[in-house]
Amino acid sequence: MRQRSLLILTTAITAGALTLSACGSRGQTDSGDKNKKTTVVIGVDAPLTGSLSALGQGIKNSVDLAAKVANQQKEVPGVTFKIKSYDDQAVPSSGKQNATSMVDEDAILGTVGPLNSGVAQSMQGVFAKADLAEVSPANTNPALSQGDAWASGKKSRPFKTYFRTATTDIIQGRFAAQYYYKDAKKRKVFVVDDKQTYGAGLAKIFAQEFKRLGGTVVGTDHLTVKETDFSGIAGKVRSSGADSVYFGGQYPEGGLLSDQIKQAGAQVPVMGGDGIYDPAFIKASGTSNDGDYATSVGYPVEDLPSAKTFVKNYAAQNYKDPYGAYGGYSYDAAWAIIQAVKAVVADNDGKLPDDARAKITEALNKVSFDGVTGKVSFDRYGDTTNKQLTVYQVKNGAWKDVTSRTFKD
């Protein structure tokens, strides 16, 4: 995909058609290349093992595809891209260690990830000190880009190196509440969260908007990540008289929670954010969870004309794991870095400057292109300007999109 549009690619990428040169340090040329190509490495941080590995592998593969496309069409003259992936296992301390490792590798000039907002919090300061840009395809906690006082209206960008292609929970939480209240006609909701940065923040924003609209939060509770017995919460939901449940958290716990709520006799839908929008949410339930909802950032990738080539090329690579909920956003995050590299090289007589990291971070603020997920650009906080979201519902054992909208206050 060039800056004009991904759709200019007309030839499918075959699995063996594209290869990447060996990694070198910043400015190092590939051995034997008479054109003296420079290798630029894009770091990828995601949970590549553990319960969220399905999402993490989709992120890594999508960034890999972006690098291959850039090389195949010589997107940046004289530059070859490759990726180097790091496994954070959805653990903040691991993410911080990975950030330190990426900073220490001179060839890494930009990073994509992480998946989890809590992990991002541990990485931001490390990247900022080294002027190394990170573009997350999945973080939604508002504080990451707008500061801890965002809720009071005092927004301040904490780190100039942080960007994201996913919209924030300010948008997603309110969008979910509006759908539940206005479209699904729910009036009494029981709110549960997993006590993590992402889940608790999303649940809080949802509850505030649901009450503002006139709904009632009939009860709240918290669960612990990696636990499996939520029968106590399920009993509270049943006795509360709730006509719906909202869960702030991820799919491993969300699927079990939905299962146990229904087994307890409360035949009410469970709604969550993009953290539960995954086939694994459905697989985690022994009881049918048809009728459950999830919101996710953007429009369904499969339905976007701008994503047809991405979907086709991803399939051609025969990756073991699907691109998942964040594949398109990961590709666009990587492509944003590639476009920033392109701008910096063009402004420096066709080569990378000594302060390439700082220059690439600066260039990201001005990036704008038609991506897999729509128009890709960033506002003054580093947040995506794309505020499209979709509601999905489980129907006949699979997620189906119900409605897609551009969020407006």
Side-chain angles (χ1 to χ4, degrees):
M1 179 182 71
R2 296 180 188 266
Q3 185 165 340
R4 296 186 296 276
S5 172
L6 178 67
L7 295 179
I8 63 167
L9 280 177
T10 58
T11 303
I13 303 170
T14 58
L18 301 172
T19 57
L20 297 176
S21 55
C23 173
S25 61
R26 191 185 315 172
Q28 181 175 328
T29 58
D30 297 328
S31 177
D33 188 344
K34 63 181 181 180
N35 295 318
K36 296 184 178 180
K37 284 196 172 184
T38 298
T39 297
V40 169
V41 180
I42 299 175
V44 183
D45 179 87
L48 303 178
T49 59
S51 61
L52 299 178
S53 62
L55 294 175
Q57 292 291 342
I59 290 172
K60 182 191 75 172
N61 294 341
S62 299
V63 177
D64 178 68
L65 179 60
K68 288 179 176 178
V69 170
N71 293 338
Q72 190 262 353
Q73 61 187 52
K74 297 179 175 59
E75 184 67 21
V76 183
V79 173
T80 296
F81 292 93
K82 74 169 296 183
I83 75 165
K84 186 171 182 179
S85 59
Y86 297 78
D87 181 11
D88 63 34
Q89 297 181 307
V91 177
S93 59
S94 296
K96 186 173 183 179
Q97 291 174 1
N98 292 345
T100 300
S101 296
M102 284 188 267
V103 163
D104 290 342
E105 183 155 346
D106 287 344
I108 294 180
L109 300 187
T111 66
V112 174
L115 169 70
N116 305 88
S117 292
V119 175
Q121 286 181 321
S122 73
M123 304 175 80
Q124 287 181 305
V126 178
F127 286 138
K129 288 179 181 178
D131 289 323
L132 182 57
E134 62 173 320
V135 187
S136 173
N139 296 162
T140 54
N141 186 275
L144 295 171
S145 56
Q146 300 176 21
D148 292 333
W150 64 267
S152 64
K154 298 178 181 179
K155 298 179 181 179
S156 178
R157 188 175 184 178
F159 302 102
K160 65 180 181 180
T161 50
Y162 181 82
F163 301 82
R164 55 178 144 199
T165 53
T167 195
T168 71
D169 288 332
I170 300 174
I171 306 299
Q172 185 174 199
R174 293 179 61 193
F175 176 74
Q178 290 176 16
Y179 182 85
Y180 238 4
Y181 188 86
K182 295 179 179 180
D183 296 83
K185 307 299 182 183
K186 301 303 180 185
R187 295 295 181 266
K188 298 185 292 182
V189 66
F190 194 102
V191 179
V192 183
D193 70 69
D194 64 359
K195 298 181 284 189
Q196 302 298 301
T197 301
Y198 161 75
L202 182 60
K204 180 179 179 180
I205 294 167
F206 168 88
Q208 290 174 339
E209 180 70 2
F210 192 77
K211 288 187 286 187
R212 187 189 72 80
L213 292 169
T216 301
V217 176
V218 297
T220 61
D221 209 336
H222 315 277
L223 57 78
T224 301
V225 171
K226 296 186 179 180
E227 287 190 354
T228 58
D229 183 1
F230 308 128
S231 56
I233 297 176
K236 292 179 183 179
V237 171
R238 183 192 62 220
S239 61
S240 71
D243 61 14
S244 52
V245 173
Y246 188 82
F247 173 60
Q250 306 281 355
Y251 62 75
E253 292 76 30
L256 293 174
L257 177 66
S258 173
D259 194 29
Q260 293 172 34
I261 286 172
K262 292 168 178 60
Q263 289 176 353
Q267 299 303 314
V268 299
V270 173
M271 174 184 265
D274 53 316
I276 74 166
Y277 174 55
D278 192 276
F281 170 85
I282 300 170
K283 294 176 182 177
S285 297
T287 302
S288 170
N289 47 15
D290 277 14
D292 286 349
Y293 295 95
T295 56
S296 190
V297 295
Y299 290 172
V301 169
E302 295 80 2
D303 297 341
L304 288 171
S306 58
K308 289 182 179 179
T309 302
F310 164 75
V311 173
K312 181 180 179 181
N313 289 344
Y314 192 97
Q317 291 299 305
N318 294 315
Y319 293 118
K320 180 180 177 182
D321 298 280
Y323 51 79
Y326 305 106
Y329 298 94
S330 301
Y331 188 103
D332 284 347
W335 202 259
I337 293 171
I338 291 166
Q339 292 303 308
V341 171
K342 184 176 183 179
V344 169
V345 168
D347 288 342
N348 193 53
D349 298 324
K351 59 184 184 297
L352 286 169
D354 291 336
D355 58 346
R357 285 179 172 176
K359 285 290 195 297
I360 289 167
T361 294
E362 183 180 344
L364 274 168
N365 289 291
K366 303 174 184 178
V367 159
S368 179
F369 60 92
D370 294 323
V372 172
T373 59
K375 190 72 174 181
V376 178
S377 60
F378 305 102
D379 65 16
R380 62 195 176 103
Y381 301 106
D383 288 332
T384 178
T385 56
N386 187 337
K387 296 181 180 180
Q388 299 170 335
L389 298 102
T390 297
V391 174
Y392 296 87
Q393 187 176 31
V394 181
K395 297 181 180 180
N396 298 318
W399 287 112
K400 303 294 183 182
D401 54 289
V402 177
T403 184
S404 298
R405 300 170 185 168
T406 297
F407 181 85
K408 297 180 180 179
D409 290 330

